[in-house]
Amino acid sequence: MPQSVKKNAEERMEKAILSLKRDLSTLRAGRAAPSLLDRIQVEYYGSPTPVNQLANINTPDSRTLLIQPWDKSSLADIERAIMKSDLGLTPANDGSTIRLSIPALTEERRGELVKLTKKFGEEAKVAIRNIRRDANDDIKKMEKNGISEDESRGHQENIQKTTDKFIAEVDKVLLAKEKEIMEV
């Protein structure tokens, strides 16, 4: 039974790492990628909808994103959502498509992106620590229902080792993204 708790905790921690990687993929590192728009929600007929569900997103070159809405009436809504976002990009609307030119990152913007990267990393670490707490609580409940105190302590130590491993993985992912952002 305690092994299932550890396995469940590992699976949840793995999902936290995947979520961190997905969040970091939405940060621009000087080149165009459709994933930059993944976090942008457009108010479409009263409900927030991801841009990629309203339009076709292409990268004609390494510095440009081309957004072609399937419904032309949503063009202004998509443009407004991009302007409100934290991307720092100004959309160019030609009546049927939106072009986003990705400028080279300034040193100041690189610093802001590194801070945002660290914020995402801290959120991932907090999520992993919360998973550790939940797993330890489950082990303590099992201690009341039959496993010994020594077994409980051993399982909690294993969960801590797993937590340390995933925290180190978060640090590794953050370091790689910071390196990518600071690359000129």
Side-chain angles (χ1 to χ4, degrees):
M1 190 95 159
Q3 293 303 325
S4 65
V5 170
K6 183 178 183 243
K7 186 174 190 236
N8 181 33
E10 281 182 7
E11 289 171 0
R12 290 176 60 201
M13 288 178 188
E14 190 68 45
K15 288 178 184 175
I17 297 287
L18 291 174
S19 176
L20 172 66
K21 289 178 180 177
R22 187 174 45 253
D23 287 343
L24 291 179
S25 74
T26 65
L27 296 178
R28 69 182 175 104
R31 59 188 170 273
S35 63
L36 291 174
L37 303 175
D38 283 353
R39 289 185 298 144
I40 295 180
Q41 298 284 318
V42 178
E43 194 65 33
Y44 187 65
Y45 289 113
S47 65
T49 309
V51 174
N52 60 6
Q53 292 182 10
L54 297 174
N56 191 20
I57 303 169
N58 297 314
T59 53
D61 61 61
S62 66
R63 296 264 185 218
T64 308
L65 280 175
L66 184 66
I67 304 167
Q68 299 169 312
W70 295 308
D71 178 8
K72 301 296 181 210
S73 66
S74 67
L75 196 66
D77 295 330
I78 293 171
E79 186 177 18
R80 196 173 311 114
I82 292 169
M83 295 282 278
K84 281 196 240 178
S85 72
D86 62 350
L87 288 177
L89 299 175
T90 305
N93 180 347
D94 68 5
S96 63
T97 60
I98 296 175
R99 283 189 182 281
L100 289 175
S101 294
I102 313 291
L105 292 174
T106 63
E107 193 62 35
E108 180 181 327
R109 183 67 180 149
R110 288 178 197 276
E112 291 172 11
L113 289 175
V114 167
K115 285 181 187 175
L116 195 55
T117 300
K118 289 181 180 180
K119 178 183 160 246
F120 285 142
E122 274 308 308
E123 289 171 358
K125 287 178 182 180
V126 167
I128 289 170
R129 290 181 190 120
N130 286 339
I131 294 165
R132 175 191 62 195
R133 183 195 62 225
D134 293 344
N136 283 339
D137 288 347
D138 290 344
I139 296 291
K140 288 175 186 173
K141 286 177 189 170
M142 288 179 192
E143 187 179 325
K144 293 176 184 172
N145 296 330
I147 67 170
S148 72
E149 216 175 290
D150 289 339
E151 282 180 289
S152 172
R153 189 169 297 117
H155 290 299
Q156 288 178 30
E157 287 172 5
N158 284 338
I159 290 170
Q160 182 60 46
K161 287 176 187 173
T162 303
T163 302
D164 293 342
K165 180 181 86 171
F166 280 98
I167 295 285
E169 177 71 19
V170 166
D171 289 336
K172 191 171 105 181
V173 168
L174 289 177
L175 190 63
K177 186 63 178 185
E178 286 177 30
K179 194 175 191 181
E180 179 185 340
I181 289 171
M182 296 309 282
E183 193 176 279
V184 178

